[in-house]
Amino acid sequence: MPVISVPQDFNEDDLYVDLEGLVGHPLFLKCEGFNFAGSIKLKAATEMIEAAERDGLLTPDSVLVESSSGNLGVALSMIAASRGYRFVCVTDSRCNLSTRLTMEALGAEVRVITEPDPVTGFLGARIDHVRALCASDERHVWLNQYANPGNGLAHYRRTAPAIARQFPDLDVLFVGAGTTGTLMGCARWFREWHRPVRIVAVDSVGSVTFGNAPARRLIPGLGTSRRPELLDESLIDDVVHVSEPDTIRACHRLAGRGFLFGGSTGTVVSGATEWLARQEGRKPTAVAIAPDLGERYLETVYQNDWVRHLYGEDALDTQVPTATSRAA
């Protein structure tokens, strides 16, 4: 019987869903949403805060500040509440309402950016606001998930080894690309493993992470309007880009089987399905990482009127998703 005294001490790390019956290809989905923060971001948040404490950057008077589209903000809100820090999350208007309310319930101050930077988009505007906060008060400490090595180190130490223990014959790993912390941490660990594993990054259409042109993106989680400092493309074998309608279709297909996952998970599953469909009879041992669950997307991805208004009726057609891909 697990007994904990702080919320970050609990994280179910070894739950997988066999998706072959749903997507038509052998695919195991590693579920990372079963903790009190509700997402894989708990690992990065814990690693970055503990490193800042060891380095003396955080003191009892410090005010944590971070730019987040949602999940990291919730994880930091939870840990800040547990450890007695003030926390300011700078997000933007695409952040789900339930996510903002969760952060506020945990005691965080949430600042919502409503106007994107003309060049670097909402992310650039959020970071500009964070920099201004830090310049205005030296008590503010920015962890900077986009460049903080602890972001990737959390997955190098925990996520990748956990997958290898369960799947010693792993052939391919699908990882969503946001800050690229999960992607880089896993890719580096598997590069050092005793057998080759193909690393496939799954990104959103409209994201500039891998050099594509920017375009409208409304589902938070994956993708970026600014190349992440953590990214090292030499560690990636393939990149798959998934459109938001395909993300929505994948989410609804999963929900139709009783699995309510978040938008990031829908993107990863859609990208993995398309990549596996092109393997011409091969059946590699494949794992995809599901960053979060679906409760925070009930007013968006799972709200049919919202979907119809922004993407049209076709986005609700739960056919097998399609995507575009390239070798990295």
Side-chain angles (χ1 to χ4, degrees):
M1 178 180 67
V3 177
I4 63 173
S5 56
V6 293
Q8 58 269 29
D9 280 352
F10 173 76
N11 186 38
E12 173 54 61
D13 202 34
D14 288 316
L15 178 63
Y16 295 80
V17 177
D18 183 347
L19 292 182
E20 183 171 7
L22 178 67
V23 303
H25 308 281
L27 179 65
F28 295 94
L29 189 63
K30 187 181 193 305
C31 303
E32 290 280 355
F34 291 99
N35 56 60
F36 283 98
S39 81
I40 197 171
K41 290 293 189 178
L42 176 61
K43 294 177 180 177
T46 301
E47 185 74 37
M48 291 188 293
I49 286 181
E50 290 181 349
E53 290 174 335
R54 289 194 302 268
D55 295 341
L57 298 176
L58 286 175
T59 69
D61 293 330
S62 295
V63 180
L64 281 167
V65 59
E66 186 57 86
S67 158
S68 171
S69 62
N71 282 337
L72 183 73
V74 172
L76 289 174
S77 298
M78 187 191 79
I79 298 174
S82 173
R83 299 199 177 193
Y85 295 118
R86 289 176 55 200
F87 173 53
V88 179
C89 181
V90 181
T91 188
D92 61 63
S93 53
R94 298 170 300 176
C95 180
N96 298 321
L97 175 61
S98 61
T99 300
R100 300 202 300 268
L101 294 176
T102 300
M103 289 189 280
E104 290 173 346
L106 289 165
E109 177 186 347
V110 181
R111 300 195 177 189
V112 181
I113 302 300
T114 58
E115 293 296 329
D117 181 274
V119 177
T120 55
F122 275 114
L123 177 56
R126 284 176 5 210
I127 290 175
D128 287 345
H129 190 85
V130 168
R131 293 186 191 280
L133 278 176
C134 293
S136 69
D137 188 338
E138 63 182 11
R139 293 176 301 166
H140 287 91
V141 176
W142 180 26
L143 296 175
N144 191 3
Q145 63 166 324
Y146 311 101
N148 192 317
N151 188 351
L153 187 60
H155 305 289
Y156 180 92
R157 288 176 169 171
R158 295 188 57 185
T159 308
I163 294 170
R165 284 194 300 270
Q166 299 297 328
F167 296 90
D169 57 346
L170 183 68
D171 294 309
V172 57
L173 178 65
F174 299 94
V175 189
T179 64
T180 69
T182 307
L183 177 63
M184 290 294 97
C186 290
R188 286 194 170 90
W189 194 90
F190 279 110
R191 279 291 181 269
E192 300 170 6
W193 203 30
H194 67 276
R195 59 185 303 278
V197 172
R198 196 163 190 85
I199 303 297
V200 180
V202 183
D203 197 10
S204 301
V205 169
S207 167
V208 306
T209 300
F210 296 99
N212 287 23
R216 182 187 75 164
R217 291 178 297 109
L218 299 177
I219 300 174
L222 301 185
T224 184
S225 55
R226 171 179 174 270
R227 181 183 171 90
E229 291 93 329
L230 296 173
L231 178 62
D232 179 355
E233 290 192 61
S234 70
L235 298 174
I236 301 167
D237 298 294
D238 294 296
V239 179
V240 180
H241 284 89
V242 176
S243 70
E244 291 192 332
D246 283 336
T247 290
I248 293 165
R249 293 185 192 104
C251 286
H252 282 248
R253 292 180 73 226
L254 288 162
R257 296 292 182 90
F259 294 108
L260 195 70
F261 283 108
S264 298
T265 299
T267 302
V268 173
V269 169
S270 178
T273 301
E274 188 276 336
W275 191 93
L276 290 168
R278 293 184 290 104
Q279 299 313 299
E280 297 180 351
R282 292 178 56 237
K283 289 192 174 183
T285 299
V287 170
I289 297 177
D292 59 4
L293 302 178
E295 290 89 344
R296 293 171 188 162
Y297 299 81
L298 295 178
E299 295 178 323
T300 54
V301 169
Y302 293 104
Q303 218 297 319
N304 288 352
D305 288 342
W306 185 87
V307 173
R308 289 189 187 98
H309 174 70
L310 293 170
Y311 303 100
E313 190 71 33
D314 287 349
L316 294 170
D317 181 1
T318 55
Q319 63 186 352
V320 176
T322 58
T324 59
S325 62
R326 68 167 175 84

